[in-house]
Amino acid sequence: MENMELKNEQSETAAEIHGTVSRRTFVKAASAAGALAGAAALAGCASDPKPTAQDEGPKDADNSTQADATPATYEPQPDPFEGAQEFFAACPPECQHHNLKALVKDGKVVRVTCGVNNESMPCMMGLSRVEWLNSPERLTAPLLRDGDKGSGKFKEISWDEAIDLIAEKLQDAIDTVGNKGIVIDSFAGNFNTISGQAKSAFIARIGGAMSLEGTLCCAGTNGATIPVFGKRYFDTRNTIEDANYIIIWGNNPAVTQNGYFNRYESMMAKGGKIVTIDPVCSETASKTTEWLPIRPTTDTALALGMLKVIVDEGLHNEQFLKEHSTAPCLVDADGAMVLLDADDPTSYAVAVDGELVRHDTEGVDPVLSVKGTDLEADYTTVFDLTVAECEPWTPEAVEAETWVPAAKVAELARDYAKGPNSMIIQNMGGFMRTTYGTLAVASQNNLAVFCGQVGGAGNGVCDAGGINNLVTLKPMFENPKVDAELPKVARAQFATHVMNDDPNEVKVFISLAESPMTQWPNTNMVKQALCKIPFVVVIDSFMTSTALYADLVLPCAAVFETEDVLCNARSHLIQLSDKAVEAPGQAHDDLWIFTQLANKMGVGEDFNHDNEYFIRKALEDSGFTYDQLKKEHAIDAYPKDFIPYKGGEFYTATKKAEIYQAPWLAKGVKAVPSYYRCAESVGGSSGLDATYPLAVVQRKLNRTVHSTFGGLKSIGAVTRDYACVMINPADAAARNIKDDDVVVVFNDRGEHRARAIVTDLISPGVLCAENGWWEQQGGSSSYITNDAVGPLATEHCCNETLADVRKEA
């Protein structure tokens, strides 16, 4: 245990105030923190109009209405949608990929409603597509910067001029710096198949480019679950109702997976218990059995403390550990797993009656610990190493570090271990967005492995997978290999690399299906980088925050304006997206844009096909056909009885959960989950807490997916069109801040303006900022966020941020 002495004097207070909070205490949390009623309001716009209380007429003094005296009559109204054509499409941004139905009259989408095979109605973002498609603010022609970056001054140019200019700039970069001077990046703004593959095919055919590493969401899952379990994000969604006990850890499925949140509610209605661990009483926390506040960045300590209780009390599942994990495998004094066959990297040794035996020998019954045996002088076991990392984390030590009361630590551990069917919902939890996010994920995965709570109905560690785990689409393009030596830099620190010309100058940056100015950390640095790069191209439907800092903006077609196929995470559906209407003005889809660029640069031979051709090609060998999807629109292809890692069989080389990761040692981290206090935290090595005493976490709102829908007026009308920040009453009083005051959250990186929500739905010592606000709406909360990256998986560290807050002068 390193650097454990706390500087924060609030820990005892927080533990006392927030020891345990029942769901009944916070049934109104959703409206206080996120205006969830807006979702219902907008959803109602897509329903048949019905008279409401507002239609009844004015009230008389006796509270009767004029309608009571004279019964109202309603003239039948003509159906405004009569004769409309129906088209179906997937809603592709990172969410749940609901299937949508558009009604089209006179070449316009006049209504968007629920499509086919959905478990629930689409959220208000999907329904707002009707505004997106018809907005007068849509980009309709290529725009060339005609003023300073950020000024919003552009002039229209033709597509020929735009394509010529991009090709010229790309060729100049190749001739002067090389392909390493080019970055063409996209992310989760569009999970459809054609967009991403067209971009990748173009990059490959021009010889490659600098690439950006590390996701801004779930790098910790990549770093922990893939090497330990073999594959990530297998979907436990279908067995939520089989669970008896669920821990929702650091995420908010009532907002981010709201389409099937009813499964959690059904599980509780049958007597199950759900505990939400989060610094903020989120919409999910308000609906579940119990909320346990936790100090940001300390989740690994809690998981280690729970595991200590489980092992100390003999609640671990020895049989599962022996048969389905590498826990009994031997490790030598140098930290290497002991092999019995030098040519077989999976020939791990276990101890049986003092002898070394292959772990996968039929009928083997190894010991979990070699303590007290003759082997102890030369070896230890993965089990012993893991338990040793838990040893300092008594319930009392966990309380001091995490604010979770000692009694609750023990209760969590016992309830989870005893289940009998327990599940951890970690999804893209905020705890991943820290330096040691991978270790936080791994420590939670260890709880499942040690208790045998994985591989069966009602258990597991995640529900956010999708059909792409089971059905793979064939690549649309056979891409040539590019130079493996082309540089890779951390996405979260791209701006710093640009400013330092590290490892080289970036001359061209093309960005699509993302918005760095709202999502990438340390926004001031991002802004400086966009201003420094000589040629920045943004492909989008609107003048986004990032587009403001572009040299060239290309208008992009949207859903229902292009044909595509979606087979990806978050959804169980394989979906065909119809082209229902023409894109406005001169807007085109990504395939068209990259085809023009490829042809201009002389590498377009493989591009010159229509969307249908590429969709048919992608579906080859998938078991599904274009004609089938054309008829059915969306097919639920996820088996209802699918169990992730069924029976404890994992996708690793050993078929076991490989809970010892020797490669971590080379990165300065122990090979089993350990707790390291994050640098930018209270008591952390940065020392910033002396100046900036408040920990800042980020939350997603129901109004947008990251920033994708943030500019739509209908969204703002039913939620709000300004940012808020949650602050505890004690912290607010110390700064003379009252509810609804305009405040400034600040640190050395920048400032973020918002209105204060003063509430005890957040722990003392913590601020909660909101994700997704545009520059035109006052600016992103990412102006203040930490742009450090973690050592194991290039983890994004936005939730490892310290700041202070003041009332706006």
Side-chain angles (χ1 to χ4, degrees), residues 516-804:
M517 276 291 294
T518 55
Q519 297 306 122
W520 293 7
N522 195 353
T523 301
N524 274 322
M525 186 71 76
V526 173
K527 185 186 298 184
Q528 293 174 42
L530 293 175
C531 290
K532 180 182 178 181
I533 298 171
F535 192 63
V536 175
V537 181
V538 169
I539 303 173
D540 216 307
S541 297
F542 294 97
M543 184 58 67
T544 63
S545 303
T546 305
L548 288 172
Y549 291 87
D551 297 278
L552 180 65
V553 183
L554 303 180
C556 183
V559 174
F560 289 116
E561 295 171 347
T562 182
E563 192 174 35
D564 213 323
V565 63
L566 188 143
C567 173
N568 216 302
R570 315 289 183 264
S571 174
H572 288 179
L573 305 179
I574 300 174
Q575 303 178 64
L576 183 70
S577 287
D578 294 331
K579 181 176 180 178
V581 295
E582 295 296 329
Q586 303 172 45
H588 289 285
D589 65 14
D590 297 323
L591 176 62
W592 186 93
I593 294 170
F594 282 109
T595 298
Q596 308 313 304
L597 282 172
N599 284 329
K600 187 66 181 179
M601 298 194 73
V603 294
E605 181 180 358
D606 297 327
F607 280 83
N608 293 309
H609 304 280
D610 63 14
N611 294 54
E612 180 182 330
Y613 169 88
F614 285 114
I615 294 170
R616 287 183 181 274
K617 191 172 189 301
L619 288 168
E620 290 176 1
D621 305 324
S622 71
F624 301 89
T625 67
Y626 176 86
D627 295 330
Q628 182 184 9
L629 285 172
K630 196 71 177 173
K631 179 181 179 181
E632 300 183 44
H633 311 299
I635 299 171
D636 186 346
Y638 210 92
K640 301 302 181 189
D641 59 351
F642 179 80
I643 304 293
Y645 319 112
K646 188 173 183 178
E649 183 171 329
F650 296 91
Y651 291 86
T652 58
T654 61
K655 305 296 183 185
K656 297 181 178 183
E658 299 186 0
I659 59 178
Y660 185 88
Q661 287 296 312
W664 293 356
L665 296 170
K667 298 181 178 182
V669 175
K670 294 176 183 177
V672 294
S674 316
Y675 179 66
Y676 303 83
R677 186 177 289 160
C678 291
E680 190 166 328
S681 64
V682 174
S685 60
S686 71
L688 287 173
D689 54 334
T691 306
Y692 303 114
L694 301 177
V696 183
V697 296
Q698 301 266 321
R699 73 187 303 262
K700 296 179 182 180
L701 299 179
N702 68 319
R703 65 183 302 278
T704 185
V705 181
H706 302 300
S707 59
T708 301
F709 296 87
L712 297 182
K713 290 181 172 55
S714 59
I715 297 287
V718 297
T719 56
R720 50 180 159 83
D721 58 2
Y722 54 86
C724 290
V725 61
M726 296 173 70
I727 181 172
N728 184 270
D731 297 318
R735 295 160 175 80
N736 195 32
I737 292 171
K738 295 181 174 58
D739 193 60
D740 208 39
D741 279 349
V742 178
V743 297
V744 181
V745 184
F746 64 94
N747 57 23
D748 290 344
R749 286 182 287 269
E751 296 182 343
H752 172 60
R753 282 166 177 76
R755 294 193 199 179
I757 297 175
V758 180
T759 174
D760 57 4
L761 304 185
I762 188 169
S763 299
V766 182
L767 297 175
C768 183
E770 297 172 348
N771 174 283
W773 294 100
W774 289 28
E775 198 78 355
Q776 297 92 320
Q777 297 164 326
S780 166
S781 56
S782 295
Y783 271 97
I784 61 169
T785 51
N786 186 356
D787 56 358
V789 296
L792 294 179
T794 323
E795 299 94 332
H796 172 217
C797 299
C798 72
N799 280 340
E800 184 187 329
T801 291
L802 293 173
D804 207 340

Side-chain angles (χ1 to χ4, degrees), residues 11 98 141 152 165 195 373 496 546 586 608 707 756 761 769:
S11 59
H98 274 101
L165 183 58
S195 173
T373 72
T496 299
T546 305
Q586 303 172 45
N608 293 309
S707 59
L761 304 185

Side-chain angles (χ1 to χ4, degrees), residues 62-376:
D62 63 356
N63 206 38
S64 64
T65 66
Q66 295 175 8
D68 293 334
T70 306
T73 60
Y74 297 94
E75 294 293 331
Q77 299 297 314
D79 180 359
F81 308 113
E82 184 177 359
Q85 292 180 281
E86 293 183 349
F87 296 86
F88 296 82
C91 196
E94 181 184 41
C95 189
Q96 290 171 248
H97 305 319
H98 274 101
N99 189 256
L100 305 177
K101 179 171 70 175
L103 301 184
V104 177
K105 292 189 72 172
D106 301 323
K108 287 185 61 176
V109 172
V110 293
R111 189 184 192 198
V112 173
T113 62
C114 192
V116 296
N117 264 332
N118 292 320
E119 182 172 351
S120 70
M121 281 289 293
C123 65
M124 65 176 170
M125 283 89 80
L127 300 177
S128 72
R129 287 285 178 181
V130 67
E131 181 195 350
W132 184 311
L133 292 162
N134 296 302
S135 172
E137 297 181 9
R138 284 287 300 275
L139 300 176
T140 58
L143 299 175
L144 184 65
R145 180 169 60 86
D146 195 27
D148 293 336
K149 288 189 178 182
S151 67
K153 295 180 179 179
F154 294 85
K155 64 180 181 182
E156 289 190 9
I157 62 174
S158 69
W159 270 107
D160 285 343
E161 292 173 302
I163 296 299
D164 286 348
L165 183 58
I166 297 171
E168 174 190 325
K169 297 296 185 181
L170 288 170
Q171 193 60 55
D172 175 69
I174 293 169
D175 292 342
T176 56
V177 179
N179 287 71
K180 61 188 178 182
I182 300 167
V183 177
I184 305 177
D185 192 58
S186 63
F187 211 69
N190 187 342
F191 275 83
N192 275 328
T193 299
I194 289 179
S195 173
Q197 291 201 27
K199 177 206 72 176
S200 300
F202 176 73
I203 293 172
R205 280 157 181 75
I206 63 170
M210 178 190 292
S211 58
L212 307 185
E213 292 189 306
T215 76
L216 300 186
C217 54
C218 46
T221 303
N222 292 340
T225 305
I226 292 176
V228 176
F229 289 175
K231 291 184 180 180
R232 58 161 270 185
Y233 273 5
F234 270 114
D235 190 346
T236 64
R237 184 183 316 172
N238 283 344
T239 69
I240 287 171
E241 292 168 76
D242 295 314
N244 308 102
Y245 187 79
I246 295 177
I247 299 174
I248 295 179
W249 206 317
N251 59 94
N252 190 9
V255 168
T256 58
Q257 272 85 42
N258 61 78
Y260 58 88
F261 192 77
N262 62 299
R263 298 191 183 201
Y264 295 100
E265 295 176 315
S266 175
M267 175 263 191
M268 288 187 290
K270 293 191 295 184
K273 180 177 181 180
I274 302 181
V275 177
T276 300
I277 300 172
D278 200 307
V280 180
C281 186
S282 64
E283 291 85 350
T284 295
S286 72
K287 295 172 182 291
T288 53
T289 314
E290 187 174 10
W291 169 46
L292 284 182
I294 188 170
R295 183 200 298 270
T297 77
T298 65
D299 302 80
T300 305
L302 174 57
L304 295 178
M306 289 172 62
L307 190 56
K308 175 177 171 58
V309 171
I310 288 165
V311 174
D312 285 352
E313 297 185 5
L315 300 176
H316 55 296
N317 188 326
E318 289 196 7
Q319 182 179 356
F320 191 92
L321 285 168
K322 290 178 179 182
E323 294 180 0
H324 302 293
S325 84
T326 57
C329 294
L330 298 175
V331 179
D332 65 23
D334 294 326
M337 299 272 290
V338 178
L339 299 179
L340 294 179
D341 181 348
D343 296 325
D344 182 355
T346 68
S347 62
Y348 301 136
V350 296
V352 179
D353 297 328
E355 300 294 329
L356 273 56
V357 180
R358 272 188 69 120
H359 72 98
D360 51 3
T361 302
E362 186 174 355
V364 68
D365 184 20
V367 297
L368 284 175
S369 173
V370 294
K371 287 187 175 181
T373 72
D374 293 340
L375 295 173
E376 185 178 9

